[in-house]
Each structure stands twice: as C-alpha cells, then as structure tokens.
Coordinates of all heavy atoms in Angstrom, one line a residue:
M210 N -3.7 42.7 0.6 CA -4.5 43.6 -0.2 C -3.6 44.4 -1.1 O -2.5 44.8 -0.8 CB -5.2 44.6 0.7 CG -6.2 44.0 1.6 SD -7.2 45.2 2.5 CE -8.5 45.5 1.3
A211 N -4.0 44.6 -2.3 CA -3.2 45.3 -3.3 C -3.6 46.8 -3.3 O -4.8 47.2 -3.1 CB -3.4 44.7 -4.7
D212 N -2.6 47.7 -3.6 CA -3.0 49.1 -3.8 C -3.5 49.2 -5.3 O -3.7 48.3 -6.0 CB -1.8 50.0 -3.5 CG -0.6 49.8 -4.4 OD1 -0.8 49.1 -5.5 OD2 0.5 50.3 -4.1
V213 N -3.7 50.5 -5.7 CA -4.3 50.7 -7.0 C -3.3 50.2 -8.1 O -3.8 49.9 -9.2 CB -4.6 52.2 -7.2 CG1 -5.8 52.6 -6.4 CG2 -3.4 53.1 -7.0
T214 N -2.1 50.1 -7.9 CA -1.2 49.6 -8.9 C -1.0 48.1 -8.9 O -0.4 47.5 -9.7 CB 0.2 50.2 -8.8 OG1 0.8 49.8 -7.6 CG2 0.2 51.7 -8.9
G215 N -1.6 47.5 -7.8 CA -1.5 46.0 -7.7 C -0.2 45.5 -7.3 O 0.1 44.3 -7.4
T216 N 0.7 46.3 -6.7 CA 2.1 45.8 -6.4 C 2.3 45.8 -4.9 O 3.4 45.4 -4.5 CB 3.1 46.7 -7.0 OG1 3.0 48.0 -6.6 CG2 3.0 46.7 -8.6
T217 N 1.4 46.1 -4.0 CA 1.6 46.1 -2.6 C 0.7 45.1 -2.0 O -0.5 45.1 -2.2 CB 1.5 47.4 -1.9 OG1 2.4 48.3 -2.5 CG2 1.7 47.4 -0.4
R218 N 1.2 44.2 -1.2 CA 0.4 43.2 -0.5 C 0.8 43.2 1.0 O 1.9 43.3 1.3 CB 0.6 41.8 -1.1 CG 0.0 41.7 -2.5 CD 0.6 40.8 -3.5 NE 2.0 40.6 -3.5 CZ 3.0 41.3 -4.2 NH1 2.6 42.3 -4.8 NH2 4.2 40.9 -4.2
R219 N -0.2 43.0 1.8 CA 0.0 42.8 3.3 C -0.3 41.4 3.6 O -1.3 40.9 3.2 CB -0.8 43.8 4.1 CG -0.5 45.2 3.8 CD -1.2 46.1 4.8 NE -1.0 47.5 4.4 CZ 0.1 48.2 4.7 NH1 1.0 47.7 5.4 NH2 0.1 49.5 4.4
I220 N 0.7 40.7 4.2 CA 0.5 39.3 4.5 C 0.8 39.0 5.9 O 1.5 39.7 6.6 CB 1.5 38.4 3.6 CG1 2.9 38.8 3.9 CG2 1.1 38.6 2.1 CD1 3.9 37.8 3.3
I221 N 0.3 37.9 6.4 CA 0.6 37.3 7.7 C 1.0 35.9 7.5 O 0.4 35.1 6.8 CB -0.7 37.4 8.6 CG1 -1.0 38.8 9.0 CG2 -0.5 36.5 9.9 CD1 -2.3 39.0 9.8
G222 N 2.1 35.6 8.1 CA 2.6 34.2 8.1 C 2.7 33.6 9.5 O 3.0 34.3 10.5
I223 N 2.2 32.4 9.7 CA 2.2 31.7 11.0 C 2.8 30.4 10.8 O 2.5 29.7 9.8 CB 0.7 31.6 11.5 CG1 0.1 33.0 11.7 CG2 0.7 30.8 12.8 CD1 -1.3 33.0 12.1
M224 N 3.6 30.0 11.8 CA 4.2 28.6 11.7 C 4.5 28.1 13.1 O 4.5 28.9 14.1 CB 5.5 28.7 10.9 CG 6.6 29.5 11.6 SD 8.3 29.2 10.9 CE 8.7 27.6 11.5
T225 N 4.7 26.8 13.2 CA 5.3 26.2 14.4 C 6.4 25.3 14.0 O 6.4 24.8 12.8 CB 4.2 25.4 15.2 OG1 4.7 24.9 16.4 CG2 3.6 24.3 14.4
G226 N 7.2 25.0 14.9 CA 8.3 24.1 14.6 C 8.0 22.7 15.1 O 6.9 22.4 15.6
T227 N 8.9 21.8 14.9 CA 8.7 20.4 15.3 C 8.7 20.2 16.8 O 8.2 19.2 17.3 CB 9.8 19.5 14.8 OG1 11.1 20.0 15.2 CG2 9.8 19.4 13.2
S228 N 9.1 21.2 17.6 CA 9.1 21.2 19.0 C 7.7 21.3 19.6 O 7.4 21.0 20.7 CB 10.0 22.2 19.7 OG 9.5 23.5 19.4
L229 N 6.8 21.8 18.7 CA 5.4 22.0 19.1 C 5.2 22.8 20.4 O 4.4 22.6 21.2 CB 4.6 20.7 19.2 CG 4.3 20.0 18.0 CD1 3.6 18.7 18.2 CD2 3.4 20.8 17.1
D230 N 6.1 23.9 20.6 CA 5.9 24.7 21.8 C 5.0 25.9 21.6 O 4.5 26.4 22.6 CB 7.3 25.2 22.2 CG 8.0 26.1 21.1 OD1 7.6 26.0 20.0 OD2 9.0 26.8 21.5
G231 N 4.7 26.2 20.3 CA 3.7 27.3 20.1 C 3.7 27.8 18.7 O 4.3 27.2 17.8
L232 N 3.0 28.9 18.5 CA 2.9 29.5 17.2 C 3.7 30.8 17.1 O 3.7 31.6 18.1 CB 1.5 29.9 16.8 CG 0.5 28.7 16.7 CD1 -0.9 29.3 16.6 CD2 0.8 27.9 15.5
D233 N 4.4 31.0 16.0 CA 5.1 32.3 15.8 C 4.5 32.9 14.5 O 4.1 32.2 13.6 CB 6.6 32.1 15.5 CG 7.3 31.5 16.7 OD1 7.2 32.1 17.8 OD2 7.8 30.4 16.6
G234 N 4.3 34.2 14.6 CA 3.7 34.9 13.5 C 4.3 36.2 13.2 O 5.0 36.8 14.0
V235 N 4.2 36.7 11.9 CA 4.7 37.9 11.5 C 3.8 38.6 10.5 O 3.1 37.9 9.7 CB 6.1 37.8 10.9 CG1 6.1 36.9 9.6 CG2 6.8 39.1 10.6
A236 N 3.6 39.9 10.5 CA 2.9 40.6 9.5 C 4.0 41.4 8.7 O 4.9 41.9 9.2 CB 2.0 41.7 10.2
A237 N 3.8 41.3 7.4 CA 4.8 42.0 6.5 C 4.1 42.7 5.3 O 2.9 42.4 5.0 CB 5.7 40.9 5.9
R238 N 4.8 43.6 4.7 CA 4.3 44.3 3.5 C 5.2 43.9 2.4 O 6.5 44.0 2.5 CB 4.4 45.8 3.7 CG 3.7 46.6 2.6 CD 3.7 48.1 2.8 NE 5.1 48.6 2.7 CZ 5.8 49.2 3.7 NH1 5.3 49.3 4.9 NH2 7.0 49.6 3.5
V239 N 4.7 43.4 1.3 CA 5.4 43.0 0.2 C 5.1 43.9 -1.0 O 3.9 44.1 -1.3 CB 5.0 41.5 -0.2 CG1 5.8 41.1 -1.4 CG2 5.3 40.6 0.9
T240 N 6.1 44.5 -1.6 CA 5.9 45.4 -2.7 C 6.8 44.9 -3.9 O 7.8 44.3 -3.7 CB 6.3 46.9 -2.3 OG1 7.7 46.9 -1.9 CG2 5.4 47.4 -1.2
G241 N 6.3 45.3 -5.0 CA 7.0 45.0 -6.3 C 6.6 43.6 -6.8 O 5.8 43.0 -6.3
R242 N 7.4 43.3 -7.9 CA 7.1 42.0 -8.5 C 8.4 41.4 -9.0 O 9.4 42.1 -9.2 CB 6.3 42.2 -9.8 CG 4.9 42.8 -9.5 CD 4.2 43.1 -10.9 NE 2.9 43.8 -10.6 CZ 1.8 43.2 -10.6 NH1 1.6 41.9 -10.7 NH2 0.7 43.9 -10.4
A243 N 8.4 40.1 -9.1 CA 9.5 39.3 -9.7 C 10.8 39.7 -8.9 O 10.9 39.6 -7.7 CB 9.6 39.5 -11.2
L244 N 11.8 40.1 -9.7 CA 13.1 40.4 -9.1 C 13.2 41.7 -8.4 O 14.1 42.0 -7.7 CB 14.2 40.3 -10.2 CG 14.5 39.0 -10.8 CD1 15.5 39.1 -11.9 CD2 14.9 37.9 -9.8
D245 N 12.1 42.5 -8.5 CA 12.1 43.8 -7.8 C 11.3 43.7 -6.5 O 10.8 44.8 -6.0 CB 11.5 44.9 -8.8 CG 12.4 45.2 -9.9 OD1 13.6 45.2 -9.7 OD2 11.9 45.4 -11.0
I246 N 11.0 42.6 -6.0 CA 10.2 42.4 -4.8 C 11.0 42.9 -3.6 O 12.2 42.7 -3.5 CB 9.7 40.9 -4.7 CG1 8.5 40.9 -3.8 CG2 10.8 40.0 -4.2 CD1 7.7 39.6 -3.9
R247 N 10.2 43.5 -2.7 CA 10.8 44.0 -1.4 C 9.8 43.6 -0.3 O 8.6 43.7 -0.4 CB 11.0 45.5 -1.4 CG 11.9 46.1 -2.4 CD 13.4 45.7 -2.1 NE 14.2 46.2 -3.2 CZ 14.7 45.4 -4.2 NH1 14.4 44.2 -4.3 NH2 15.5 46.0 -5.0
I248 N 10.4 43.2 0.8 CA 9.6 42.8 2.0 C 10.0 43.6 3.2 O 11.2 43.7 3.5 CB 9.8 41.3 2.3 CG1 9.4 40.4 1.1 CG2 9.0 40.9 3.5 CD1 9.7 39.0 1.2
A249 N 9.0 44.2 3.8 CA 9.2 44.9 5.1 C 8.5 44.2 6.2 O 7.3 44.1 6.2 CB 8.7 46.4 4.9
V250 N 9.3 43.7 7.1 CA 8.7 43.0 8.3 C 8.1 44.0 9.2 O 8.7 45.0 9.6 CB 9.7 42.1 9.0 CG1 9.2 41.5 10.2 CG2 10.2 41.0 8.0
G251 N 6.9 43.7 9.7 CA 6.2 44.6 10.6 C 6.1 43.9 12.0 O 7.2 43.6 12.5
R252 N 5.0 43.8 12.5 CA 4.8 43.2 13.8 C 5.1 41.7 13.9 O 4.9 41.0 12.9 CB 3.4 43.4 14.3 CG 3.0 44.8 14.5 CD 1.6 44.9 15.0 NE 1.7 45.8 16.1 CZ 0.6 46.1 16.9 NH1 -0.5 45.5 16.8 NH2 0.8 47.0 17.8
R253 N 5.6 41.3 15.0 CA 5.9 39.9 15.3 C 5.1 39.5 16.6 O 5.1 40.3 17.5 CB 7.3 39.6 15.4 CG 8.1 39.8 14.1 CD 9.5 39.7 14.4 NE 10.1 41.0 14.0 CZ 11.3 41.3 13.9 NH1 12.2 40.4 14.2 NH2 11.7 42.4 13.5
A254 N 4.7 38.3 16.7 CA 4.0 37.8 17.9 C 4.1 36.3 18.0 O 4.4 35.7 17.0 CB 2.5 38.3 17.9
A255 N 3.9 35.8 19.2 CA 4.0 34.4 19.5 C 2.9 34.0 20.5 O 2.5 34.8 21.3 CB 5.3 34.0 20.0
R256 N 2.4 32.8 20.4 CA 1.5 32.2 21.3 C 2.0 30.8 21.7 O 2.3 30.0 20.9 CB 0.1 32.1 20.7 CG -0.6 33.4 20.5 CD -0.9 34.2 21.8 NE -1.5 35.5 21.5 CZ -0.9 36.6 21.4 NH1 0.4 36.7 21.4 NH2 -1.6 37.7 21.3
S257 N 2.0 30.5 23.0 CA 2.3 29.2 23.5 C 1.1 28.2 23.3 O 0.0 28.7 23.4 CB 2.6 29.3 25.0 OG 2.7 28.0 25.5
F258 N 1.4 27.0 23.0 CA 0.3 26.0 22.9 C -0.2 25.6 24.3 O -1.3 25.2 24.4 CB 0.8 24.7 22.3 CG 1.0 24.8 20.8 CD1 2.0 24.3 20.1 CD2 0.0 25.5 20.0 CE1 2.2 24.4 18.8 CE2 0.1 25.6 18.6 CZ 1.2 25.1 18.0
G259 N 0.6 25.9 25.4 CA 0.1 25.7 26.7 C -0.4 24.3 26.9 O 0.2 23.3 26.5
P260 N -1.7 24.2 27.4 CA -2.3 22.9 27.7 C -2.6 22.1 26.4 O -2.9 20.9 26.5 CB -3.5 23.2 28.5 CG -3.8 24.6 28.2 CD -2.5 25.3 27.9
L261 N -2.6 22.7 25.3 CA -2.8 21.9 24.0 C -1.6 21.1 23.6 O -1.7 20.1 22.8 CB -3.1 22.9 22.9 CG -4.4 23.7 22.9 CD1 -4.5 24.6 21.6 CD2 -5.6 22.7 22.9
Q262 N -0.4 21.4 24.1 CA 0.8 20.8 23.7 C 0.8 19.2 23.8 O 1.1 18.6 22.8 CB 2.0 21.4 24.3 CG 3.3 20.8 23.7 CD 4.5 21.4 24.4 OE1 4.5 21.9 25.5 NE2 5.6 21.4 23.6
P263 N 0.4 18.7 24.9 CA 0.4 17.2 25.0 C -0.5 16.5 24.0 O -0.1 15.5 23.4 CB 0.0 16.9 26.4 CG 0.2 18.2 27.2 CD 0.0 19.3 26.2
T264 N -1.7 17.1 23.8 CA -2.6 16.5 22.8 C -2.1 16.6 21.4 O -2.2 15.8 20.5 CB -4.0 17.0 23.0 OG1 -4.4 17.0 24.4 CG2 -5.0 16.3 22.2
L265 N -1.5 17.8 21.1 CA -0.9 18.0 19.8 C 0.2 17.0 19.5 O 0.3 16.5 18.4 CB -0.4 19.5 19.7 CG -1.4 20.5 19.4 CD1 -0.8 21.9 19.6 CD2 -2.1 20.4 18.0
R266 N 1.0 16.8 20.5 CA 2.1 15.9 20.4 C 1.6 14.4 20.1 O 2.1 13.7 19.3 CB 3.0 15.9 21.7 CG 4.1 14.9 21.7 CD 5.1 14.9 20.6 NE 5.8 16.2 20.6 CZ 6.5 16.6 19.5 NH1 6.6 15.9 18.4 NH2 7.1 17.7 19.6
E267 N 0.5 14.1 20.9 CA -0.1 12.7 20.6 C -0.6 12.6 19.2 O -0.3 11.6 18.5 CB -1.3 12.5 21.6 CG -0.9 12.3 23.0 CD -2.1 12.0 23.9 OE1 -3.1 11.5 23.4 OE2 -2.0 12.4 25.1
A268 N -1.3 13.7 18.7 CA -1.7 13.6 17.3 C -0.6 13.6 16.3 O -0.6 12.8 15.4 CB -2.6 14.9 17.1
A269 N 0.5 14.4 16.6 CA 1.6 14.4 15.7 C 2.3 13.0 15.7 O 2.9 12.6 14.7 CB 2.6 15.5 16.1
D270 N 2.3 12.3 16.8 CA 2.9 11.0 16.9 C 2.0 9.9 16.5 O 2.3 8.7 16.7 CB 3.4 10.8 18.4 CG 4.6 11.7 18.7 OD1 5.3 12.2 17.8 OD2 4.8 11.8 19.9
Q271 N 0.9 10.2 15.9 CA -0.1 9.3 15.3 C -0.8 8.4 16.4 O -1.2 7.3 16.1 CB 0.6 8.4 14.3 CG 1.3 9.1 13.1 CD 0.2 9.8 12.3 OE1 -0.7 9.2 11.8 NE2 0.4 11.1 12.0
H272 N -0.9 8.9 17.6 CA -1.6 8.2 18.6 C -3.1 8.4 18.3 O -3.5 9.5 18.1 CB -1.3 8.7 20.0 CG 0.1 8.3 20.4 ND1 0.4 7.1 20.9 CD2 1.2 9.1 20.4 CE1 1.7 7.1 21.2 NE2 2.2 8.3 20.9
P273 N -3.9 7.4 18.4 CA -5.4 7.5 18.2 C -6.0 8.5 19.2 O -5.7 8.5 20.3 CB -5.9 6.1 18.4 CG -4.8 5.2 18.3 CD -3.6 6.0 18.7
L274 N -6.9 9.3 18.7 CA -7.7 10.2 19.5 C -9.2 10.0 19.1 O -9.5 9.9 18.0 CB -7.3 11.7 19.2 CG -6.0 12.2 19.6 CD1 -5.8 13.7 19.1 CD2 -5.9 12.2 21.2
P275 N -10.0 10.0 20.1 CA -11.4 10.0 19.8 C -11.8 11.2 18.9 O -11.2 12.2 19.0 CB -12.1 10.0 21.2 CG -11.1 9.6 22.2 CD -9.8 10.1 21.6
A276 N -12.8 11.0 18.1 CA -13.2 12.0 17.2 C -13.6 13.3 17.9 O -13.2 14.4 17.4 CB -14.4 11.6 16.3
G277 N -14.2 13.2 19.0 CA -14.6 14.5 19.8 C -13.3 15.2 20.3 O -13.3 16.4 20.2
A278 N -12.4 14.4 20.8 CA -11.1 15.0 21.2 C -10.4 15.7 20.1 O -9.8 16.8 20.2 CB -10.2 14.0 21.9
F279 N -10.4 15.1 18.9 CA -9.7 15.6 17.8 C -10.4 16.9 17.3 O -9.7 17.9 17.0 CB -9.6 14.6 16.6 CG -8.6 15.0 15.6 CD1 -7.2 14.7 15.8 CD2 -9.0 15.6 14.4 CE1 -6.3 15.1 14.8 CE2 -8.1 16.0 13.5 CZ -6.8 15.7 13.6
A280 N -11.7 16.9 17.3 CA -12.5 18.1 16.9 C -12.2 19.2 17.9 O -12.1 20.4 17.4 CB -14.0 17.7 16.8
R281 N -12.2 18.9 19.2 CA -11.9 20.0 20.1 C -10.5 20.6 19.9 O -10.3 21.8 20.0 CB -12.0 19.5 21.6 CG -13.5 19.5 22.1 CD -13.6 19.1 23.5 NE -13.0 17.8 23.8 CZ -13.7 16.6 23.7 NH1 -14.9 16.6 23.2 NH2 -13.1 15.5 24.0
L282 N -9.5 19.7 19.7 CA -8.2 20.1 19.4 C -8.1 21.0 18.2 O -7.5 22.1 18.2 CB -7.3 18.9 19.3 CG -5.8 19.1 18.9 CD1 -5.1 19.9 20.1 CD2 -5.1 17.8 18.6
A283 N -8.8 20.6 17.1 CA -8.8 21.4 15.9 C -9.4 22.8 16.1 O -8.9 23.8 15.7 CB -9.5 20.7 14.8
R284 N -10.5 22.8 16.9 CA -11.1 24.1 17.2 C -10.3 25.0 18.0 O -10.1 26.2 17.8 CB -12.5 23.8 17.9 CG -13.2 25.1 18.2 CD -14.6 24.8 18.9 NE -15.4 26.0 19.0 CZ -15.1 27.0 19.8 NH1 -14.1 27.0 20.6 NH2 -15.9 28.1 19.9
E285 N -9.7 24.4 19.1 CA -8.8 25.2 20.0 C -7.5 25.7 19.2 O -7.1 26.8 19.5 CB -8.4 24.4 21.2 CG -9.7 24.2 22.1 CD -9.4 23.2 23.3 OE1 -8.2 22.9 23.5 OE2 -10.4 22.9 23.9
L286 N -7.0 24.9 18.4 CA -5.8 25.3 17.6 C -6.2 26.4 16.6 O -5.5 27.4 16.5 CB -5.3 24.1 16.8 CG -4.0 24.3 16.0 CD1 -2.9 24.9 16.9 CD2 -3.6 23.1 15.3
G287 N -7.4 26.3 16.0 CA -7.9 27.4 15.1 C -8.1 28.7 15.9 O -7.7 29.8 15.4
A288 N -8.6 28.6 17.1 CA -8.8 29.8 17.9 C -7.5 30.4 18.3 O -7.4 31.6 18.4 CB -9.6 29.4 19.2
L289 N -6.5 29.6 18.6 CA -5.2 30.1 18.9 C -4.6 30.9 17.7 O -4.0 31.9 17.8 CB -4.2 29.0 19.3 CG -2.9 29.4 20.0 CD1 -3.2 30.2 21.3 CD2 -2.1 28.2 20.2
H290 N -4.8 30.4 16.4 CA -4.4 31.1 15.2 C -5.1 32.4 15.1 O -4.5 33.4 14.8 CB -4.7 30.2 14.0 CG -3.7 29.2 13.7 ND1 -3.6 28.0 14.4 CD2 -2.7 29.2 12.8 CE1 -2.6 27.3 13.9 NE2 -2.0 28.0 12.9
V291 N -6.4 32.4 15.4 CA -7.2 33.7 15.3 C -6.7 34.7 16.3 O -6.5 35.9 16.0 CB -8.7 33.4 15.5 CG1 -9.5 34.7 15.7 CG2 -9.2 32.6 14.3
D292 N -6.4 34.2 17.5 CA -5.8 35.1 18.5 C -4.5 35.7 18.1 O -4.3 36.9 18.2 CB -5.7 34.4 19.8 CG -5.1 35.2 21.0 OD1 -5.8 36.2 21.3 OD2 -4.0 34.9 21.5
L293 N -3.7 34.9 17.5 CA -2.4 35.4 17.0 C -2.6 36.4 15.8 O -1.9 37.5 15.8 CB -1.5 34.3 16.6 CG -0.1 34.6 16.1 CD1 0.7 35.4 17.1 CD2 0.7 33.3 15.7
I294 N -3.5 36.1 14.9 CA -3.7 37.0 13.8 C -4.2 38.4 14.4 O -3.8 39.4 13.9 CB -4.7 36.4 12.8 CG1 -4.1 35.3 12.1 CG2 -5.3 37.5 11.9 CD1 -5.0 34.4 11.3
H295 N -5.1 38.4 15.3 CA -5.6 39.6 15.9 C -4.5 40.4 16.6 O -4.5 41.6 16.5 CB -6.7 39.3 16.9 CG -8.0 39.1 16.3 ND1 -8.9 40.1 15.9 CD2 -8.6 37.9 15.9 CE1 -10.0 39.5 15.3 NE2 -9.8 38.2 15.3
A296 N -3.5 39.7 17.2 CA -2.4 40.4 17.8 C -1.5 41.1 16.8 O -0.9 42.1 17.0 CB -1.5 39.4 18.6
L297 N -1.5 40.5 15.6 CA -0.6 41.1 14.5 C -1.4 42.2 13.8 O -0.8 43.1 13.2 CB -0.2 40.0 13.5 CG 0.6 38.9 14.0 CD1 0.7 37.8 13.0 CD2 2.0 39.4 14.3

C-alpha cells in the first residue's frame, strides 16, 4: 500500500527452494524510488510442506498425477501460502 506521497509500499515475498522442504516468507517495507529506494525487513516466517512434500516432488519431477490429486495439491499448497501470509 502506498502512503499519501506514493513512496511507501508494504510487500510480502514467499519462496521455496529446489529442496521442496517448505515455504519461507518475509514482510518488508519499501520506501523511496529508483536509486533512493530503501527496504526494511520486518517479520519472517516459514512453513514446512510436511505431508505435501512427496506429492510436490512427484509433480516437480513430471510424474503423472490424476486431475483430482493435482487439484487437491494445488488447493493445499494455496492454503499453506495463505497460512504463511497470515503469520506475516
């Protein structure tokens, strides 16, 4: 969101690595523009993929999944993102 001058933004970044062990997230405040940009890191949080990890690995390795299994995986992965965002 921008303040009245339009130079402050609050952002959330989420990523996972190739190990597929979980999600890492950070909330940050970005101020300024161009070469005058400044970033202040706020909260950090992580979530394990837990029981999703084997199925995520199968999908990443291009193993066929039934449409229903892939839809459940997508929904559960989305829910994990939402949980992490709420934590931040």
Side-chain angles (χ1 to χ4, degrees):
M210 297 185 86
D212 65 11
V213 290
T214 64
T216 60
T217 298
R218 291 149 327 270
R219 296 187 187 280
I220 61 168
I221 291 177
I223 298 175
M224 67 166 285
T225 185
T227 55
S228 65
L229 287 177
D230 59 345
L232 296 174
D233 295 302
V235 65
R238 187 179 71 243
V239 180
T240 56
R242 296 176 189 264
L244 296 176
D245 293 323
I246 202 164
R247 299 289 178 261
I248 300 171
V250 174
R252 294 184 135 184
R253 291 172 242 189
R256 293 293 181 268
S257 169
F258 284 138
L261 292 179
Q262 187 178 25
T264 310
L265 283 169
R266 176 57 64 197
E267 286 181 31
D270 289 341
Q271 301 295 307
H272 292 280
L274 289 174
F279 195 81
R281 278 188 299 279
L282 178 64
R284 183 181 187 286
E285 291 172 9
L286 184 58
L289 194 62
H290 278 78
V291 169
D292 181 58
L293 182 56
I294 289 167
H295 282 275
L297 295 169

